[in-house]
Amino acid sequence: MLKHLYEKDFQLWIQQTIEQLQQQNFTALDVEHLIEELTELGKSEKNRFESNLMVLLAHLLKLRVQKDAPEMMKASWYNSVDEHRQCVQKQLQQTPSLKSFFTTAIQNAYIDSRWLAIKEGKRAQFGVRIPHEEEYPKVCPFSIEQILDEDFYG
């Protein structure tokens, strides 16, 4: 029955799956879809972690490369660093197993971070210097300690 419900009403499927688990009625479970959903949940958590890291790293990178940007622009990057650093720290606190994924997440996120920082840097206006792509390191220049350090800004 749960298998059929999965396709028709996902929220009801979740509710009934929880009830079956609470009652320890394991034979009634839709195991195939339950495994699928748990796997996706794990991927989603990692993707959210990488997304926060990407923005955090992009703005740390911009603060490092575009030191001569106006204070108003840098203030926005500082705020973004603070916000996304807090998100990363909170995720690590709530899901400690992400720590084992941290190095890989940095490598994955940095590729997009670098691209984002370069793209945003090319939109510089009002006499702000547009950095050359070569100024952005191809490998993440920040350690895990620096990324998590509340007083570090590139």
Side-chain angles (χ1 to χ4, degrees), residues 17-30:
T17 298
I18 291 169
E19 287 173 14
Q20 297 303 324
L21 287 167
Q22 288 170 333
Q23 295 168 9
Q24 298 185 8
N25 185 4
F26 303 122
T27 56
L29 289 174
D30 176 5

Side-chain angles (χ1 to χ4, degrees), residues 42-50 53 87-105:
K43 286 180 191 175
S44 174
E45 185 72 19
K46 285 181 175 181
N47 288 341
R48 192 167 59 97
F49 185 66
E50 280 186 10
L53 261 178
C87 289
V88 165
Q89 289 172 336
K90 191 172 190 174
Q91 285 178 281
L92 288 170
Q93 198 173 44
Q94 292 174 341
T95 311
S97 62
L98 285 173
K99 289 176 186 165
S100 65
F101 174 67
F102 207 163
T103 302
T104 302

